[in-house]
Amino acid sequence: MGNQKHQPVGVFDSGIGGLTVANAISKLLPNEQIIYFGDTAHMPYGDKSKGLIRLYASRITDFLLYEQNCKAIVIACNTASAAAYELLRDKHKGSVPVINVIDPMIEAVIADDNIKKVGIIATKTTIGSGVYQEKLTRRKPALKFSAVATPLLASMIEEGYYNDNISRAVLESYLSNEELKDIDALVLACTHYPLIKNEIAAFYNGQVKIFDSAEVVAAKLKWVLEKEGLNSERKTADDLFYVSDFTESFERTTKIFYGQQIRLEQCNIWR
Ligand code: DGL
């Protein structure tokens, strides 16, 4: 199991959204080998029960640790972070660092004192878990917030609908919600949403600060690897990208998420 510098970093999501995080990691930490797992067979996670997401997240983590020999795990999915982070962290405590996408986002938001009211948009499971609401209240009680579920967005993006009339109409409908009135900042609490970040910024005419998880999570991983003495000094193998169900649309879309063509390998870890 993972405790050596040259071993890879495991990154997983329900689908392609987590590639936004993997991409930020590969830019910030070019010496790290990434092993990515997109659970496309079970996507979307956003309307599944906590119990089922925990089951999926545990199996994927076991695959990354015991079959791929990863030295650290990044849960590049807000929904899986909300449902399964504590479970995975406690299970692997003392052996492998497990990083979620939610805590680094909370840190980034509370560090900005110009923000008086923040909106949070995410899947139904993430919003329903109350994790963002609870952590923001605990860390910065004076900060006002409004959390709104936007269940269509992840599937819409995964199907390739962004920067078009469909995504504009869906976003307009969600972002016009009264709950999101008067916000100074909006947290994109789903790793699929960086793809629609520009459309969201345009909706607000650049007047609302938009937070997405990719860079903050990569920075957190860097910090953790250095602290644990696990950072690699040179890249020893190519990155690998696994999916639990291969589709052509998935492979086409990865290019936009990752910035370059990726070779996907189907890997059914539930057999
Ligand atoms: N990318 C995932 C997240 O960050 C969720 C998408 C899904 O519903 O599967 O929440």
Side-chain angles (χ1 to χ4, degrees), residues 16-25 191-192 194-195 213-215 257-258:
I16 50 175
L19 286 172
T20 54
V21 178
N23 189 30
I25 293 171
T191 52
H192 282 67
L195 243 72
S213 37
E215 277 90 23
F257 275 84
Y258 204 71

Side-chain angles (χ1 to χ4, degrees), residues 73-143:
I73 297 294
V74 178
I75 312 173
C77 172
N78 283 266
T79 310
S81 294
Y85 168 61
E86 277 80 13
L87 176 87
L88 298 175
R89 179 201 58 194
D90 294 347
K91 187 173 169 196
H92 302 289
K93 217 182 184 104
S95 60
V96 177
V98 178
I99 290 155
N100 71 83
V101 286
I102 296 174
D103 290 324
M105 287 277 264
I106 299 281
E107 294 301 328
V109 172
I110 64 170
D112 187 337
D113 286 330
N114 292 322
I115 300 170
K116 306 294 173 218
K117 181 178 176 188
V118 61
I120 301 136
I121 56 170
T123 65
K124 278 195 274 188
T125 304
T126 300
I127 298 297
S129 74
V131 171
Y132 273 94
Q133 300 91 311
E134 187 262 315
K135 290 191 176 191
L136 284 172
T137 307
R138 184 150 44 85
R139 299 292 308 278
K140 206 170 189 178
L143 183 66

Side-chain angles (χ1 to χ4, degrees), residues 5-269:
K5 284 168 173 278
H6 64 267
Q7 289 173 223
V9 172
V11 180
F12 76 89
D13 177 46
S14 59
I16 50 175
L19 286 172
T20 54
V21 178
N23 189 30
I25 293 171
S26 74
K27 286 193 177 127
L28 188 68
L29 300 167
N31 293 334
E32 300 296 339
Q33 183 201 6
I34 296 169
I35 305 222
Y36 184 86
F37 190 92
D39 193 9
T40 46
H42 297 125
M43 152 85 203
Y45 279 5
D47 38 23
K48 301 224 166 31
S49 70
K50 190 172 174 174
L52 195 56
I53 296 166
R54 284 178 161 199
L55 191 79
Y56 294 154
S58 296
R59 176 67 190 104
I60 295 166
T61 301
D62 284 352
F63 167 75
L64 291 169
L65 291 180
Y66 306 118
E67 292 167 55
Q68 299 295 320
N69 207 25
C70 291
K71 64 182 175 188
I73 297 294
V74 178
I75 312 173
C77 172
N78 283 266
T79 310
S81 294
Y85 168 61
E86 277 80 13
L87 176 87
L88 298 175
R89 179 201 58 194
D90 294 347
K91 187 173 169 196
H92 302 289
K93 217 182 184 104
S95 60
V96 177
V98 178
I99 290 155
N100 71 83
V101 286
I102 296 174
D103 290 324
M105 287 277 264
I106 299 281
E107 294 301 328
V109 172
I110 64 170
D112 187 337
D113 286 330
N114 292 322
I115 300 170
K116 306 294 173 218
K117 181 178 176 188
V118 61
I120 301 136
I121 56 170
T123 65
K124 278 195 274 188
T125 304
T126 300
I127 298 297
S129 74
V131 171
Y132 273 94
Q133 300 91 311
E134 187 262 315
K135 290 191 176 191
L136 284 172
T137 307
R138 184 150 44 85
R139 299 292 308 278
K140 206 170 189 178
L143 183 66
K144 291 196 198 120
F145 59 80
S146 214
V148 173
T150 48
L152 288 182
L153 296 184
S155 300
M156 177 186 89
I157 295 163
E158 192 101 358
E159 287 299 325
Y161 293 103
Y162 45 85
N163 293 327
D164 63 14
N165 293 339
I166 292 175
S167 58
R168 256 189 303 283
V170 173
L171 276 174
E172 178 121 13
S173 165
Y174 278 139
L175 300 178
S176 306
N177 189 322
E178 273 297 298
E179 295 268 314
L180 295 174
K181 249 183 103 184
D182 304 327
I183 53 169
D184 320 293
L186 184 68
V187 171
L188 309 188
C190 172
T191 52
H192 282 67
Y193 299 177
L195 243 72
I196 49 173
K197 190 173 176 177
N198 291 342
E199 286 178 84
I200 293 173
F203 176 88
Y204 290 112
N205 294 318
Q207 298 303 303
V208 164
K209 184 168 179 180
I210 316 283
F211 287 88
D212 79 66
S213 37
E215 277 90 23
V216 288
V217 174
K220 176 77 177 189
L221 174 67
K222 181 171 188 283
W223 183 82
V224 170
L225 292 180
E226 282 169 4
K227 183 169 77 78
E228 304 283 330
L230 286 173
N231 48 317
S232 171
E233 284 107 23
R234 70 198 150 82
K235 193 153 182 161
T236 50
D238 290 338
D239 299 336
L240 293 172
F241 299 90
Y242 294 108
V243 286
S244 49
D245 187 37
F246 179 88
T247 68
E248 274 173 19
S249 103
F250 183 92
E251 191 161 63
R252 262 200 315 277
T253 317
T254 55
K255 206 169 178 178
I256 293 119
F257 275 84
Y258 204 71
Q260 68 188 63
Q261 188 65 55
I262 291 171
R263 205 180 126 255
L264 295 175
E265 271 181 59
Q266 172 143 344
C267 180
N268 186 354
I269 61 173

